[in-house]
Structure formats: structure tokens, C-alpha cells
């Protein structure tokens, strides 16, 4: 169900389509920050998740701040890049699509709520990484994770218009574009979309325990805007607490009925309920129920079912 079968993806109207022009939906998981959990970006972990969850995409979260790519030491930066490349190469070997996520969020540095803060670093990074992977057709580039605070869509557009050309020098791969209010402001996007580019999708993030309202996403897609859920969870926005299956099921129905792709947060053993591995576990390969948190078990069952893995097992 992955890259080997569907080839290079592109955007047609509001839809993601495969190399044959058929509608195609990505579903998968995101790593947590590579500065903390880069060890999960390895072949064995990714292979185990792919084989047992049936995912067709993985997202690598390259944090800009919080001792991340732009504010950590040179050795930290180098290590994060190595982890990213190891992860991307492993996922590629396994036939997965890959999202390279410039994970700005402004948790520790308020300036980083605005993508323009690290514009220079972003242009350097995306110039480098899109050239590095220019011959691979399975990569999607997410240029800003969650603009927030006072950041406007105007800021985001200005940033996108600087960064997208760096990628376009090397590839016409799909570029995922964030928006204000932690990437939950598609109304601003619809009023004033980016112009002059192909293969652009607009991201939206939701955490179902807080966000039950699906209207923005439905409206955008139904009006012809390509939407991509590059991060979500069914728990609260802080990545913790119990998850709301009721709200989650509503989201599932809306997204699946519209061919909208989605990527769950996250592959790690962090304390929050949004990580799939149990907090005390250092086993990065075992995805049996006993090594997973409830969210991990839930995602595994959902995605297995979606990919037809369970059907194959029963036969």
C-alpha cells in the first residue's frame, strides 16, 4: 500500500493522488522530537511499526528549538541530521512515504512561534535536504509545524514564498504548509491562498479531546483546498490525558470520506498518553499490546484494519 505500489504522489484539485492519478490516502505516525527520541528513527523500529500497523507514511519531527536543530550545539544539530537521514533511508527501503517536518512550535522560545524566526536556517536546511533527496519520489516536505501566538497568515505566506523556491530548485515534491493558531486556521488560508505553485497542501492539526469541530477541514476540502492532517491525536492538545473515541470517530469519518491523509503523534516512550510505547519501556521494536500504551494499541488496531492486515491474517 506504499511507495513501491503507488509511486510519486501529486496534488490534483483538493486531492492527493498517486502516479496513476488515482486518489490516494496516507496514514501513519510521527516521531517525537529527534533531539530527545532520535533513537526511534532506526530501521528495526520503523520496520516493526510498518509490518504490524500497516502504515504507509512516517513523519520525522526535526524541532527547531528546545535544544533542537537551530538552538542546540553543533554536535546536537549534526546528530539530529544523522538521525533524520537514518530514519528517512530506512523508511525508504521499507517502501514508506516520508514527511520531513520543520517542527517549529515556540514552546521555549516565544520568537519560534513565528516561522520567520529561523527563516535563514530553514532555507539552508530545505535547500540541502531537498537536494540530498532529489532523486527520491517518496518525500514530502513540511515547512512549518505549528505557527502560533501573534503569528499571522501573512507571516506564514511570506515565509513559504521564501522557502518553497529552495525546494523547487531540486524537486516538485509535495510541500505541506502550516498556518496560524497551531495550524488550525484554514479560514485565513482560504481567503488568501499561496499562488504560483503546484503540489502544495495545507496542513491542519487537531487533538480530538479538545477539538471536536471538523467544520474548517470539511469546508476547505469541499471548496477545493488540499488539506493534510500532518499531526493529530485523540487526547488533549498537550499530548496527554484520556482520548476521546467519540470525537475521534467523528474525525475519522470526515477524513476518510474525503480522502484526507493523517499522521498520528507519536513514536516514543515519552510520559504523555500520546506516545505509543509505554513510558518505562526501552524496547523500541516490540509492538505487542503489552509494550504499548492504550493509544498505541488503538492506532495499531485501527491502522491494521485500514490497511487490510487483519483480513490477510484471517485468511
Amino acid at each position: 500500500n506504499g511507495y513501491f505500489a503507488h509511486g510519486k504522489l501529486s496534488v490534483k484539485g483538493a486531492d492527493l493522488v498517486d502516479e496513476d492519478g488515482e486518489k490516494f490516502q496516507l496514514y501513519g505516525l510521527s516521531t517525537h522530537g529527534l533531539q530527545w527520541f532520535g533513537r526511534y528513527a532506526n530501521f528495526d523500529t520503523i520496520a516493526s511499526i510498518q509490518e504490524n500497523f500497516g502504515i504507509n507514511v512516517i513523519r520525522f519531527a526535526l524541532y527547531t528549538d528546545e535544544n533542537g536543530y537551530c538552538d542546540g550545539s553543533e554536535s546536537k544539530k549534526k546528530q539530529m541530521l544523522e538521525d533524520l537521514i537514518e530514519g528517512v533511508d530506512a523508511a525508504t527501503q521499507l517502501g514508506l512515504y516520508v514527511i520531513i517536518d520543520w517542527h517549529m512550535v515556540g514552546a521555549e522560545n516565544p520568537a519560534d512561534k513565528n516561522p520567520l524566526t529561523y527563516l535563514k536556517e530553514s532555507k539552508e536546511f530545505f535547500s540541502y535536504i531537498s537536494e540530498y533527496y532529489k532523486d527520491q519520489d517518496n518525500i514530502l516536505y513540511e515547512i512549518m509545524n505549528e505557527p502560533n501566538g501573534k503569528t499571522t497568515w501573512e507571516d506564514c505566506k511570506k515565509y513559504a514564498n521564501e522557502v518553497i523556491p529552495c525546494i523547487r530548485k531540486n524537486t516538485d515534491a509535495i510541500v505541506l504548509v502550516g498556518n496560524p493558531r497551531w495550524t488550525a486556521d484554514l479560514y485565513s488560508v482560504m481567503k488568501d491562498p499561496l499562488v504560483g505553485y503546484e503540489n502544495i497542501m495545507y496542513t491542519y492539526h487537531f487533538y480530538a479531546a479538545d477539538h471536536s469541530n471538523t467544520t474548517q477541514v470539511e469546508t476547505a476540502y469541499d471548496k477545493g483546498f488540499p488539506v493534510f492532517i500532518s499531526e493529530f491525536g485523540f487526547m488533549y492538545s498537550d499530548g496527554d490525558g484520556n482520548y476521546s473515541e467519540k470525537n475521534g470517530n467523528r474525525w475519522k469519518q470526515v477524513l476518510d470520506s474525503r480522502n484526507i491523509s493523517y499522521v498520528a503523534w507519536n513514536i516514543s516512550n515519552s510520559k504523555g498518553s500520546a506516545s505509543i510505547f509505554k513510558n518505562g519501556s526501552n524496547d523500541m521494536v516490540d509492538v505487542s499490546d503489552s509494550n504499548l500504551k492504550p493509544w498505541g494499541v488503538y492506532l495499531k488496531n485501527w491502522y491494521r484494519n485500514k490497511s487490510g492486515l487483519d483480513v490477510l491474517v484471517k485468511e
Side-chain angles (χ1 to χ4, degrees), residues 206-270:
F206 70 85
Y207 282 84
D210 290 324
H211 306 130
S212 59
N213 191 331
T214 57
T215 311
Q216 264 195 74
V217 169
E218 293 175 73
T219 305
Y221 178 85
D222 295 350
K223 283 189 168 175
F225 289 86
V227 179
F228 194 110
I229 310 296
S230 60
E231 186 184 312
F232 79 93
F234 285 177
M235 63 297 301
Y236 292 90
S237 306
D238 63 356
D240 210 358
N242 293 332
Y243 57 84
S244 167
E245 210 168 320
K246 181 172 159 275
N247 289 352
N249 283 333
R250 165 90 185 116
W251 273 105
K252 267 190 208 175
Q253 187 270 319
V254 164
L255 301 176
D256 286 341
S257 66
R258 285 170 175 77
N259 183 47
I260 295 174
S261 299
Y262 41 81
V263 179
W265 186 256
N266 70 70
I267 302 167
S268 79
N269 66 349
S270 75

Side-chain angles (χ1 to χ4, degrees), residues 1 45-56 94-96 309:
N1 68 352
T45 297
I46 298 165
S48 178
I49 292 171
Q50 182 213 25
E51 190 185 335
N52 293 286
F53 284 61
I55 62 170
N56 59 16
L94 291 159
L96 289 167
L309 270 182

Side-chain angles (χ1 to χ4, degrees), residues 263-283:
V263 179
W265 186 256
N266 70 70
I267 302 167
S268 79
N269 66 349
S270 75
K271 289 193 175 73
S273 63
S275 57
I276 63 167
F277 289 104
K278 281 187 176 163
N279 185 222
S281 172
N282 288 315
D283 189 321

